[in-house]
Amino acid sequence: AAMRRHPKSYKVTSAALRGRDCDAARAVTGRMVEVLRLRDMGSTFHRMFRVWSTTNDKELLEDSFYALGLVEGLTAILQVLAECEDVANAALRSAALQAMFELVRTFPHLLASQQLAQSVHAVARNIVAQSVEADAAAADAATAQGDASRCRTGELQGFASVDGVEIARRGELLLGVLQAGVAAQAGG
């Protein structure tokens, strides 16, 4: 209720969404989702993303994407990513990948159709590709400026940023669970 009244309050939003990690919250997930849907919390999450989409708080973003995915499905997450003005925000993209992975792994029924699975797959691949391109451009710029030391000191580890490596890892996890789901559907 507090989040609905204060969707622009970082402290309220963060505290409300972090509750999904406790055992008691997991035990009532189904009922909680029903209540959130009845209270039209999906629109609240969409407003929250318009306000907080530029934050670097990956945990807040991941929790928000996770809750949005439970309430409105994976299509809503894809919609938020498509509408996001800050497409270069690595925290946002990384959080979306992780939340979709956790959702598909825990609730495979959220992949209601082959078309949705293909859309999630395409978005994941595009996010990873954009991250690789951004890292390559940053490495080229560092080399052109004679600052190759950035690549050795960890800022651009081996021409891949720390955020880029995380996005690639999370993308691989999501793509793997999608592939496993497709194989299970084909076999069963």
Side-chain angles (χ1 to χ4, degrees), residues 6-45:
H6 306 287
K8 293 182 180 181
S9 170
Y10 178 86
K11 189 174 183 178
V12 170
T13 301
S14 181
L17 292 170
R18 290 203 170 94
R20 77 170 167 88
D21 288 332
C22 71
D23 290 336
R26 276 193 293 254
V28 296
T29 298
R31 180 69 181 126
M32 178 189 71
V33 170
E34 289 175 30
V35 169
L36 292 174
R37 285 180 184 145
L38 289 172
R39 293 184 181 188
D40 191 30
M41 287 302 291
S43 62
T44 301
F45 287 120

Side-chain angles (χ1 to χ4, degrees), residues 50-170:
R50 284 191 290 276
V51 172
W52 295 109
S53 65
T54 58
T55 185
N56 287 323
D57 185 341
K58 292 177 191 166
E59 192 172 346
L60 171 70
L61 292 169
E62 183 184 329
D63 290 342
S64 300
F65 276 123
Y66 189 90
L68 177 64
L70 281 175
V71 173
E72 290 194 350
L74 296 172
T75 305
I77 295 174
L78 299 178
Q79 180 184 1
V80 168
L81 288 170
E83 293 172 353
C84 181
E85 294 177 14
D86 188 9
V87 296
N89 185 338
L92 180 87
R93 295 179 297 150
S94 179
L97 289 173
Q98 184 66 26
M100 288 191 290
F101 164 72
E102 293 292 343
L103 286 164
V104 170
R105 183 176 65 126
T106 308
F107 307 103
H109 68 276
L110 290 176
L111 281 175
S113 70
Q114 183 66 23
Q115 183 179 4
L116 179 57
Q118 290 172 345
S119 295
V120 171
H121 186 273
V123 167
R125 287 180 54 90
N126 285 338
I127 288 172
V128 172
Q130 289 170 353
S131 178
V132 168
E133 289 173 14
D135 283 349
D140 288 346
T143 302
Q145 294 175 355
D147 194 11
S149 65
R150 289 176 56 202
C151 298
R152 288 188 296 276
T153 61
E155 188 175 334
L156 292 172
Q157 296 176 351
F159 297 111
S161 67
V162 173
D163 286 335
V165 170
E166 182 176 85
I167 287 172
R169 183 184 61 79
R170 289 178 169 192

